Amino acid sequence: MQQSNKLIDAHIDKAPITPNQYQTTLRCRVVKTLELVQDTIAISLCIGLFCVMVLQLKQTFLSLVTTLRFHEVTADILFILILVELFRLLIIYLQEQRVSIGVSVEVTIVSVLREVIVKGLLEVEWKQILATCAFLVALAVLLIVRVWLPPTFEGIDPEQKASQRLKERQ
């Protein structure tokens, strides 16, 4: 009986929730729900990408057994590497809740080189080769500049924030 009275007294002693606290609580719930939906989409993409990788790997092995065409096999292998890098990008996103610029640039570089290898350098116009080279140089500069950039943006450290989120979830 005394315990139930304590519970009632504790409930009465609580101050009512202010509108500001209610908005903050509601905002936090909405943000957590949206993050959950976003994680679900990323996980679905991971599963789909993994299935595409398995199918592409099967097709590559079958093309190796039946016919040996250097350009097709090289293009298939590079395509699988691109898929692996995209999968890694999604995993980094799920772990750290951010997109890795370095991995994104690496995937883009491999994709451009794959297209150059598939089409063949001799079959492409010189203007397109020059544009591709300029694009690759710009990507290389972006990779180099990314190393010098500090990990913070206006005082926010994404790595520290991501590790705090992981600790909160555990």
Side-chain angles (χ1 to χ4, degrees):
M1 184 75 175
Q2 276 186 335
Q3 186 140 5
S4 62
N5 288 339
K6 287 181 183 178
L7 289 176
I8 292 172
D9 291 339
H11 180 66
I12 293 172
D13 290 341
K14 284 189 176 180
I17 297 175
T18 64
N20 190 21
Q21 289 173 335
Y22 177 74
Q23 287 177 351
T24 304
T25 306
L26 181 63
R27 190 176 300 127
C28 287
R29 286 182 183 169
V30 168
V31 167
K32 284 185 180 185
T33 304
L34 290 175
E35 283 181 349
L36 180 67
V37 169
Q38 203 171 16
D39 287 347
T40 305
I41 291 170
I43 290 169
S44 301
L45 287 172
C46 282
I47 292 169
L49 195 57
F50 187 77
C51 292
V52 170
M53 280 192 289
V54 168
L55 292 174
Q56 185 65 35
L57 197 59
K58 177 184 171 189
Q59 181 183 354
T60 302
F61 281 130
L62 289 177
S63 69
L64 279 172
V65 172
T66 57
T67 59
L68 187 60
R69 296 184 186 150
F70 177 73
H71 286 292
E72 288 180 17
V73 172
T74 306
D76 288 345
I77 290 171
L78 287 173
F79 184 63
I80 291 171
L81 289 175
I82 291 168
L83 294 177
V84 167
E85 288 298 312
L86 287 173
F87 189 79
R88 188 175 83 160
L89 185 67
L90 284 170
I91 295 298
I92 290 171
Y93 174 77
L94 284 172
Q95 288 175 342
E96 301 179 12
Q97 297 295 317
R98 67 181 180 89
V99 176
S100 172
I101 293 174
V103 176
S104 301
V105 171
E106 290 170 5
V107 169
T108 306
I109 290 172
V110 173
S111 299
V112 170
L113 292 177
R114 177 190 179 271
E115 290 302 314
V116 168
I117 290 172
V118 168
K119 289 185 180 179
L121 209 56
L122 299 175
E123 299 173 9
V124 181
E125 292 183 35
W126 69 271
K127 292 178 183 178
Q128 194 169 6
I129 292 173
L130 191 61
T132 303
C133 289
F135 184 62
L136 288 173
V137 167
L139 290 173
V141 168
L142 183 61
L143 272 179
I144 292 169
V145 169
R146 176 67 182 115
V147 173
W148 290 332
L149 290 176
T152 59
F153 180 74
E154 293 183 15
I156 300 171
D157 189 359
E159 282 80 16
Q160 184 181 12
K161 198 172 182 182
S163 64
Q164 286 175 350
R165 281 189 195 142
L166 287 173
K167 289 177 184 176
E168 289 172 3
R169 289 180 184 173
Q170 292 173 356

